[in-house]
Amino acid sequence: MVDPVVTSRLQFALTTIVHIIFPVMSMGLAPFLVYFTWREIRTRKPIYEQLRRFWTKIFAVSFVVGTVTGIVLEFEFGTNFAAFSTIAGELFGGPLALEGMMAFMLEATFLGIFVFGRARVGDRLYFVSSVAVGLGTWLSAVWILIANSWMQTPRGFEMVVENGQDVVHLVDPLAAYLNPRFPYMFVHMQNAAVESVALFMAGIAAYHVYRHHVRGTDVENVAFWERTLKIALVALILTAPLQVVHGDLYARHVYETQPQKFAAMEAVWDTESYVPEYIIAFPTSLDAITDPRAKELLGLGIPGGASWLASGGDATAEIRGLDSFDSEAPPVAVVFWAFRAMVGMGFWFILLAFWGGYRWWSGELFEDDLLHKSLMASTVLGIVAVELGWVVTEVGRQPWVIQGVLQTSDGVSPGLTGSETLLTLAGFAVVYLGLLTVYSYVVTRLIRAGPPTGDDLRSVSQASPPSEQPAGEVANDE
């Protein structure tokens, strides 16, 4: 017999893991596109038109695939987690509806102008469309993260009985929507998206720069890739340190509001003080892989580091162990190793950022082949780190779907059988793998095609309404 709780969780995990790639790309690209559009209008330099047009294509593909996969996720609340939807629908449904009516409609409406309207509208309206598309993308994150953060730290509700069933009744929308977890999740997620796209841009640009400057291959539009690499490095220098610093504050908040999750992140089973923080950990046996315990691991650790992290400066602070909680522990191995991998990548991204910044400052950015190879190897690591972060967030909350209120096993659709969920899990795996393959193929084709050049750029510039072009600047650039 197959447990429908397990297969429903696996199905939702699979669809979420694939779906999150596309919002990360669109949310991370949004501020870059606003910047490229502003610089294009302000300077009339072809390089910014190239940047805007090239990355807009990848943004548009990400938006389309993200929309398709996101809609399916919302349907899964009804098909696989109907009991949860019934109990928490009054609170959970509001943010999801607002995400569609407010954020999605804003983004979808102005995306048409932004993608197809450069030659048809004036500069002001076109720039407004870039801001509206970016704002819509980030507003989607606001409402989705409001819903998810409420599940982590539920506030502003009371349980009432309706038709013989306990349900969530919203009594304070501000307390519910602006719950303690939301600002931490929003800042961490949005910064991670920009950082991930900066790594993606840097990795692709480094490949072309490496071929041209190190291997001596004649690369078309090498100036475009050089500019892309520099812009990506600036973004990486800004976002990589912030992600680690903010992550420290976020972890402290988790310790205060979800101590069981924090204990799983640090593999603390018995309540104790002066708990080490392992930067690099090695299991001593196969059992230590599947059942890690902080005191029994080998590796590079900071004595009292986990206690210091939890308390904000006290290395002797006590961390409550997993054995002291009434509910069963989350899958500790998954949470512990995912957290370690995510943190390790975060410090690697800082090294890459300042390594690239130093090479730029010393005038050797385009000649450092080891830097180029490191950036190429890290092209998608930002997205991998985001995936690991969500694994820690969602798996670490188990066995609760609403922390302290509703367990996941009680939120699954009644009457759902294991064979039904196993069948849909297999179907979703095939479909989503296919979507991801097609998306990767299309993006690869766009990257290989490169930016628009030559007459194509000039025709767009000449098609722009002449009344809004700064006098003399178009002619000078051409």
Side-chain angles (χ1 to χ4, degrees), residues 207-243:
Y207 169 74
H208 292 87
V209 170
Y210 171 78
R211 291 179 60 230
H212 184 83
H213 289 279
V214 178
R215 299 294 297 271
T217 305
D218 186 20
V219 174
E220 188 178 2
N221 301 310
V222 68
F224 170 87
W225 298 113
E226 291 171 351
R227 182 66 62 91
T228 299
L229 179 57
K230 289 181 177 180
I231 291 172
L233 279 176
V234 171
L236 196 58
I237 290 170
L238 294 174
T239 56
L242 174 60
Q243 194 70 355

Side-chain angles (χ1 to χ4, degrees), residues 6-229:
V6 174
T7 46
S8 291
R9 286 177 57 189
L10 287 174
Q11 179 179 308
F12 200 85
L14 168 70
T15 50
T16 303
I17 284 171
V18 176
H19 166 72
I20 195 63
I21 296 170
F22 315 118
V24 166
M25 290 297 295
S26 57
M27 292 186 303
L29 278 170
F32 288 100
L33 294 179
V34 172
Y35 172 73
F36 296 153
T37 304
W38 174 71
R39 291 292 290 166
E40 176 192 354
I41 293 172
R42 179 124 179 142
T43 68
R44 298 295 174 182
K45 291 182 178 179
I47 185 69
Y48 291 109
E49 182 183 344
Q50 287 181 306
L51 287 164
R52 189 259 306 167
R53 292 178 62 183
F54 177 81
W55 291 107
T56 294
K57 293 177 182 178
I58 296 178
F59 176 93
V61 173
S62 301
F63 171 79
V64 170
V65 183
T67 300
V68 173
T69 55
I71 290 174
V72 172
L73 275 176
E74 296 189 5
F75 278 111
E76 284 186 271
F77 287 116
T79 58
N80 293 72
F81 296 95
F84 164 76
S85 300
T86 300
I87 295 169
E90 180 173 325
L91 192 141
F92 201 77
L96 296 185
L98 286 169
E99 189 265 340
M101 293 186 294
M102 180 189 296
F104 176 77
M105 294 306 296
L106 176 66
E107 184 180 6
T109 299
F110 281 93
L111 185 61
I113 298 175
F114 186 65
V115 174
F116 303 109
R118 184 66 186 103
R120 296 175 174 82
V121 300
D123 288 344
R124 291 185 182 88
L125 178 56
Y126 191 74
F127 179 70
V128 167
S129 73
S130 72
V131 174
V133 168
L135 180 62
T137 303
W138 280 46
L139 276 176
S140 289
V142 168
W143 294 111
I144 296 300
L145 292 178
I146 280 176
N148 188 277
S149 62
W150 179 83
M151 296 163 66
Q152 310 284 339
T153 53
R155 299 289 191 279
F157 75 100
E158 64 180 10
M159 299 300 295
V160 300
V161 177
E162 292 184 359
N163 299 321
Q165 165 117 30
D166 289 335
V167 298
V168 169
H169 177 58
L170 182 63
V171 295
D172 188 345
L174 285 179
Y177 292 174
L178 302 179
N179 63 81
R181 180 60 52 83
F182 171 70
Y184 288 95
M185 293 190 78
F186 183 76
V187 172
H188 209 61
M189 181 64 209
Q190 301 311 98
N191 190 75
V194 177
E195 183 182 17
S196 299
V197 168
L199 284 162
F200 186 78
M201 295 171 68
I204 295 169
Y207 169 74
H208 292 87
V209 170
Y210 171 78
R211 291 179 60 230
H212 184 83
H213 289 279
V214 178
R215 299 294 297 271
T217 305
D218 186 20
V219 174
E220 188 178 2
N221 301 310
V222 68
F224 170 87
W225 298 113
E226 291 171 351
R227 182 66 62 91
T228 299
L229 179 57

Side-chain angles (χ1 to χ4, degrees), residues 322-386:
L322 290 164
D323 286 338
S324 67
F325 293 91
D326 293 333
S327 58
E328 64 177 301
V332 176
V334 176
V335 179
F336 179 80
W337 296 115
F339 181 67
R340 297 264 123 12
M342 178 189 65
V343 171
M345 288 181 191
F347 283 105
W348 169 244
F349 300 155
I350 291 179
L351 175 61
L352 280 179
F354 287 99
W355 181 5
Y358 172 74
R359 287 303 190 185
W360 187 357
W361 175 78
S362 62
E364 300 173 329
L365 176 61
F366 302 142
E367 289 75 32
D368 190 337
D369 61 328
L370 185 58
L371 172 63
H372 300 160
K373 292 175 182 178
S374 298
L375 288 170
M376 284 186 273
S378 304
T379 302
V380 298
L381 285 188
I383 296 175
V384 173
V386 170

